[in-house]
């Protein structure tokens, strides 16, 4: 008869400490791949799972598809045993499995958990007793208990259940939010505290032991729902505060006050204030999306999350505001938007990254085109842009030495490789949504 007891928790913890534990990471994207490399750095034997065969082949060939991850990092990890696969049969060999798959919104702005569900259904038959399964994908409170565990239990061919007590034999399930901030190198990854919630005490103990090998501080919380909600609070806090400064920026412009000077002065206060900066609108996989996971869940409790809705509305209006500012700037030069040639600088949703998911540039380009402008873009991270879930641009990056041919240069993403002095000098009009031209005095610059 098959041994259902699996590895005793103490034995798994010992394997974590001695790095003998095998770690499987599902989803080799912006979150999963750096996490896999962190474990590899700590000499764990890591297997990366992905349904995208192109990513699996690239990784196994020692290639990177994320700009800030050097290929040598992949080949070094391979030296420690890292490999990628699309074969879920290998899940059984793992001591711990971490899930980092996308959690987007569907066309009605409701949570789309199809990637999480698809992953769980695929791994469920291979999960064995004693294994630790941790979801890292951002989601609403209750997902681990209401979706992940029931699907794992229903699909497990051994009839195993999640172990909720020390006595119970089964697999262990946890949730741990990801706190990756792409392009931000001010805090080393291992210095970012890792919150973990588990379904039962052993799950928390195992997750704490596992993450304790790569993070200096692990913060255990009392349930997976608390861990899920922690991530949403962090992102909603950002979303609401960004909306606040975006609104105050518009008031300050009318009042002739520089919002950036105000923020710089306010942030000298040593307590009770954290600086957030206005911009052209939200971008990325997290801030524009995650708050709506909670807004959706709140409806089940007959509750309206008004702050989230208001912030969403204010932030979503920003690309329209930016386009109006371009039109106003052209108007000052006796030109109109229709027929004007506009060069958009930066497609990525933020500085120095190669990610354009939900980028405000995409909306701004479409709005400019719909108002009759001729639009081109430049982005060192995107030589071309094609078709995505929410855009269909089919454009090629325009070299910066053609800047003089345009009626206006619109700075949407303030990549640090740009020479803003030269950009202002060569442009006929600069509309700057990021305060990138700070300190450059020129009548050609509109800061908004
Ligand atoms: N990118 C960030 O900065 C960030 C920060 C914090 C949290 N998160 C959250 O982390 C999660 C992952 O985000 P990401 O940015 O890494 O996404 P991503 O799109 O970069 O990567 C996801 C990967 O999962 C793979 N995948 C999808 N379904 C799969 C399946 N069934 N089996 C195996 N692989 C599958 C995809 O092919 C892709 O490679 C999301 O929930 C996101 O909200 C992202």
């Amino acid at each position: 008869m098959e041994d259902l007891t699996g590895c005793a928790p103490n034995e798994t913890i010992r394997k974590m400490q001695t790095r003998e534990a095998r770690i499987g990471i599902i989803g080799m994207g912006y979150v999963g791949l750096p996490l896999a490399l962190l474990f590899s750095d700590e000499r764990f034997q890591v297997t990366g799972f992905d349904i995208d065969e192109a990513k699996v082949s690239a990784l196994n060939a020692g290639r990177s598809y994320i700009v800030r991850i050097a290929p040598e990092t992949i080949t070094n990890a391979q030296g420690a045993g890292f490999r990628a696969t699309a074969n879920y049969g290998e899940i059984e060999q793992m001591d711990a499995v971490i899930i980092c798959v996308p959690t987007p919104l569907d066309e009605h702005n409701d949570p789309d958990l199809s990637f999480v569900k698809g992953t769980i259904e695929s791994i469920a038959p291979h999960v064995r007793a004693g294994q630790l399964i941790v979801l890292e994908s951002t989601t609403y409170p209750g997902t681990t208990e209401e979706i992940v565990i029931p699907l794992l239990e229903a699909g497990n061919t051994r009839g195993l259940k999640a172990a909720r007590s020390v006595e119970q034999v089964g697999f262990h399930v946890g949730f741990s939010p990801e706190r990756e901030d792409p392009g931000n190198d001010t805090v080393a990854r291992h210095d970012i505290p890792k919150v973990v919630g588990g379904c039962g005490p052993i799950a928390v103990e195992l997750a704490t032991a596992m993450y304790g090998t790569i993070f200096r501080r692990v913060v255990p919380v009392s349930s997976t729902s608390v861990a899920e909600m922690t991530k949403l609070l962090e992102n909603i806090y950002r979303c609401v505060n960004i909306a606040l400064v975006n609104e105050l920026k518009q008031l300050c412009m009318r009042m002739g006050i520089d919002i950036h000077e105000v923020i710089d002065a306010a942030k000298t206060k040593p307590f009770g204030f954290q600086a957030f900066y206005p911009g052209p609108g939200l971008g990325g996989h997290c801030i524009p999306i995650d708050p709506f996971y909670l807004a959706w869940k709140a409806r089940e409790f007959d509750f309206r999350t008004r702050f989230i809705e208001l912030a969403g509305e204010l932030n979503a209006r920003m690309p329209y505001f930016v386009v109006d500012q371009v039109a106003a700037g052209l108007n000052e030069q006796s030109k109109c938007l229709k027929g004007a040639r506009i060069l958009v600088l930066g497609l990525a949703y933020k500085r120095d990254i190669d990610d354009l998911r939900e980028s405000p540039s995409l909306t701004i380009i479409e709005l400019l085109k719909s108002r009759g402008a001729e639009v081109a873009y430049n982005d060192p991270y995107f030589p071309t842009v094609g078709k995505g879930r929410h855009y269909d641009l089919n454009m090629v990056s325009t070299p910066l030495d053609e800047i003089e041919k345009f009626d206006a240069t619109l700075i949407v993403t303030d990549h640090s490789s740009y020479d803003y002095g030269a950009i202002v000098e060569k442009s006929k009009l600069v509309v700057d949504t990021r305060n990138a031209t700070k300190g450059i005095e020129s009548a050609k610059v509109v800061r908004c």
Side-chain angles (χ1 to χ4, degrees), residues 26-27 29-31 50 55 88 101 103 119 137-138 182 285 357:
I26 304 181
Y30 288 94
V31 166
D50 207 294
K55 284 187 179 163
Y88 280 120
V101 296
T103 44
T119 302
S137 303
T138 308
H285 191 316
R357 286 176 294 178

Side-chain angles (χ1 to χ4, degrees), residues 76-125:
N76 287 345
Q78 284 174 320
F82 171 70
R83 49 181 289 282
T85 181
N87 175 15
Y88 280 120
E90 296 186 31
I91 287 288
E92 201 162 349
Q93 299 159 27
M94 305 297 129
D95 294 286
V97 176
I98 303 173
I99 301 165
C100 310
V101 296
T103 44
L105 295 171
D106 68 14
E107 63 277 18
H108 306 294
N109 259 10
D110 288 340
D112 172 4
L113 284 178
S114 58
F115 297 96
V116 172
K117 287 179 183 166
T119 302
I120 302 294
E121 282 162 358
S122 306
I123 66 169

